[in-house]
Amino acid sequence: MSTQVPILAAENLGVRYGSFVALSEVTLSIRPNTIHSVIGPNGAGKTTLFHALTGRVRASSGRIFLNGRDITHVSDDKRVPLGIARSFQVTSLFQNLSVRENLRLAAQGRTPLRALAPWRGVDPRGSALAVADEVMERLELTHVSERAAGELSHGQQRRLEVGMAVAAKPRLILLDEPTSGMGIDDVEAMKALIRDLGRDHTVLFIEHNMGIVMNISDTVTVMRAGRVLVEGPPALVRDDPEVRRAYLGNMITGDIA
Amino acid sequence: MNRASLHFLLAALVAAALPLFMRSGTLASEVLIFAMAAAACNLLLGYTGLLSFGQGIFFGLGSYAVGLTLLHTSLPLSLALALSTLAGAVAATGVGWLSIRRQGVYFVMLTLAFSQFFYFLAYTFKDVTGGDNGLLNIPRPAIGPFTLGNSWSYYTFVAVLFLFVFAALQRVASSTFGRTLLAVRDNEERARAIGFPVRLFKITAFAVSGAVTGLAGALHALLIGVAPLSSIEYHMSESILIMTIIGGTGNLFASVLGAGFYVIVSDLLSSIWPRWLLLLGGLLVVVALFMQKGLWGLLERLVEALRSGRKSPVEAPVRPESEGRGI
Ligand SMILES: Nc1ncnc2c1ncn2[C@@H]1O[C@H](COP(=O)(O)OP(=O)(O)OP(=O)(O)O)[C@@H](O)[C@H]1O
Ligand SMILES: [Mg+2]
């Protein structure tokens, strides 16, 4: 499309769990400052793709590039300072710590070695806390800032889950089913948030809600059985017969704005 | 007053009150020495979620280091203690570095294996460690103008160091480092996913814990004039862990309670009944089953009951704990 260097690229990426091939020959290119969604039926390998891109699982074949730099063998924690952050499909928070502390830690994760000095206190005017407050404001969590994350409602926990990725101020943000299990109102708010995030981040997100996918994505990648089935702008993907078959024709219902 | 200053005040009160209640300066010193060791263990167990059976290694090496330095060199006491602290830190860095490669049960087994390894090492190199007899006749030189010959003057020295160490550990626990350890204990996967090199943090926690434990071991050797083989035995690791768990793992002062309880009760019971360890085992079962926040949790409930009793006859709602939780 353009000669622009993709912010993230995967080349023939494969992941195996034991002898089970969860991902094979996935080639993907994410253009900077776009909203890119990944869809596909259950078990298609979407989460596994995220795991490989963020370093949670090792790629058994293929390579991953961030801004042209090969990061295939960079460990997951070291990819965060490079500008990748993610949220999880299954909420994974610091249950016993307060909402503010969860987000402060997530913000601190960009410069993790600064937290290694055992004598350095938490600066009350430090940037990590400021980021935490800003993210709480954005996700409407300010009123529960001192509550333990484990005590939040499901919807609030899902918002905090996304907030953990936002607090890292990444260039590329990966969201794994950010709306899963949310009520209607929360889903609308999340849609607005993702669109908003797209203005100053590159967003890669997995979503089953086609209303959101078709509305706010620049590019949609459809996966099935560990492979990329189709990739393209929403309108193209929506009318693709292969995609309709993959979904048994009944899941793509969202309108394109 | 915030929680940390309150806990420091409580620790200072314990240090000041022990001489009033105890006949023996040796026993009082032992309480504070083991309080340091237990608090250091708590940093691993309560803050990082690491059940280490290696604490006896660091304690024992501290004992040997101070003994060997004072017996074979003319270095001053302060330097001998610094060397013991360093020995504990270095050993803990190594043991931690290797052990945290495995998680859960395998981690625990590794620390246990190291504990056995160092014991046999000490047992085998009799020329250096004195083997079964221990390293005997360790002198207790003066520190600057202060002589430490009298058991209460030595207690004063130990108490000052104890308070210094306690404050330092508090500082560590409340630093960004300590708060990251709490996050690691809570959800290690997420800690890594947001960018923290979890292993590096665990190793550093080990180093700090080992340093303090080494110092405690050194002070203990000076106290009894011997670096006994039992200091590096598996049983030492176990005792330190038991003190930590009985006290409670929610905060550092709980470890002072645990150590005090263990040392004093052991002393009382062992003179009455040689099978007293049975009782201690029973107590541990009770703590594990019914009071996971340990003696500290009990104290908290007591204070709560007194407060609500004074305010109104209606039972006050139970306040959710805001600091670290038990294991
Ligand atoms: N740790 C694992 N070990 C073995 N198999 C796994 C593991 N994780 C996932 N799988 C399998 O890999 C396949 C892809 O799983 P993945 O979670 O990536 O799918 P997904 O597209 O995210 O599905 P969903 O929409 O349900 O979240 C599934 O068949 C799953 O059972
Ligand atoms: Mg998934």
Side-chain angles (χ1 to χ4, degrees), chain B residues 114-150:
Chain B
F114 277 115
S115 162
Q116 292 294 344
F117 173 74
F118 275 92
Y119 168 73
F120 281 113
L121 219 55
Y123 183 78
T124 309
F125 289 94
K126 290 188 171 61
D127 297 346
V128 184
T129 63
D132 251 341
N133 300 325
L135 199 58
L136 303 175
N137 303 319
I138 299 174
R140 198 195 286 166
I143 185 136
F146 304 105
T147 54
L148 304 174
N150 172 297

Side-chain angles (χ1 to χ4, degrees), chain A residues 32-46:
Chain A
N33 303 314
T34 59
I35 298 183
H36 192 131
S37 57
V38 179
I39 65 172
N42 292 116
K46 307 179 295 293

Side-chain angles (χ1 to χ4, degrees), chain B:
Chain B
M1 182 160 52
N2 68 27
R3 197 179 281 258
S5 341
L6 173 70
H7 290 173
F8 182 79
L9 199 73
L10 288 173
L13 274 177
V14 168
L18 279 177
L20 305 178
F21 293 102
M22 298 184 74
R23 280 170 294 111
S24 148
T26 305
L27 199 63
S29 302
E30 211 164 32
V31 168
L32 295 190
I33 288 169
F34 280 109
M36 286 186 237
C41 179
N42 198 351
L43 189 71
L44 289 180
L45 184 60
Y47 285 81
T48 324
L50 294 171
L51 182 72
S52 156
F53 274 95
Q55 303 306 101
I57 302 171
F58 321 139
F59 193 90
L61 286 180
S63 295
Y64 287 132
V66 82
L68 291 171
T69 310
L70 292 178
L71 284 171
H72 301 302
T73 72
S74 51
L75 291 175
L77 182 61
S78 52
L79 264 181
L81 288 176
L83 279 176
S84 298
T85 310
L86 190 69
V90 170
T93 305
V95 169
W97 181 65
L98 289 167
S99 303
I100 59 158
R101 286 161 179 267
R102 291 290 170 268
Q103 302 235 319
V105 181
Y106 296 99
F107 163 80
V108 177
M109 291 305 294
L110 275 169
T111 63
L112 205 59
F114 277 115
S115 162
Q116 292 294 344
F117 173 74
F118 275 92
Y119 168 73
F120 281 113
L121 219 55
Y123 183 78
T124 309
F125 289 94
K126 290 188 171 61
D127 297 346
V128 184
T129 63
D132 251 341
N133 300 325
L135 199 58
L136 303 175
N137 303 319
I138 299 174
R140 198 195 286 166
I143 185 136
F146 304 105
T147 54
L148 304 174
N150 172 297
S151 82
W152 284 112
S153 57
Y154 185 65
Y155 174 81
T156 312
F157 175 63
V158 169
V160 168
L161 276 181
F162 162 73
L163 286 178
F164 178 77
V165 164
F166 189 80
L169 280 176
Q170 279 192 309
R171 172 92 198 184
V172 171
S174 65
S175 67
T176 45
F177 171 73
R179 286 163 70 163
T180 308
L181 293 185
L182 281 177
V184 168
R185 187 190 74 169
D186 204 328
N187 186 345
E188 186 171 336
E189 297 282 330
R190 178 54 113 166
R192 196 172 309 117
I194 58 176
F196 291 103
V198 167
R199 278 182 39 192
L200 198 55
F201 277 79
K202 285 183 176 176
I203 293 170
T204 310
F206 254 102
V208 174
S209 180
V212 172
T213 312
L215 177 64
L219 291 173
H220 193 255
L222 288 174
L223 176 71
I224 58 176
V226 185
L229 189 61
S230 65
S231 279
I232 204 165
E233 236 176 336
Y234 151 80
H235 180 67
M236 179 57 73
S237 299
E238 191 188 40
S239 302
I240 294 173
L241 267 173
I242 291 177
M243 292 175 203
T244 312
I245 293 170
I246 287 183
T249 49
N251 65 70
L252 293 170
F253 181 71
S255 302
V256 180
L257 285 182
F261 182 85
Y262 185 99
V263 171
I264 293 170
V265 170
S266 304
D267 181 66
L268 286 177
L269 290 180
S270 61
S271 58
I272 309 171
W273 188 38
R275 296 262 165 271
W276 61 277
L277 271 172
L278 259 178
L279 282 185
L280 204 66
L283 180 73
L284 205 61
V285 171
V286 171
V287 169
L289 283 178
F290 304 113
M291 35 187 272
Q292 277 162 16
K293 284 190 212 155
L295 291 174
W296 173 259
L298 204 65
L299 193 73
E300 255 185 347
R301 256 188 273 174
L302 213 69
V303 170
E304 199 71 37
L306 283 178
R307 246 193 227 160
S308 64
R310 211 180 311 151
K311 254 187 245 156
S312 73
V314 188
E315 193 147 312
V318 181
R319 202 161 34 87
E321 177 79 345
S322 57
E323 217 177 321
R325 255 138 273 251
I327 293 298

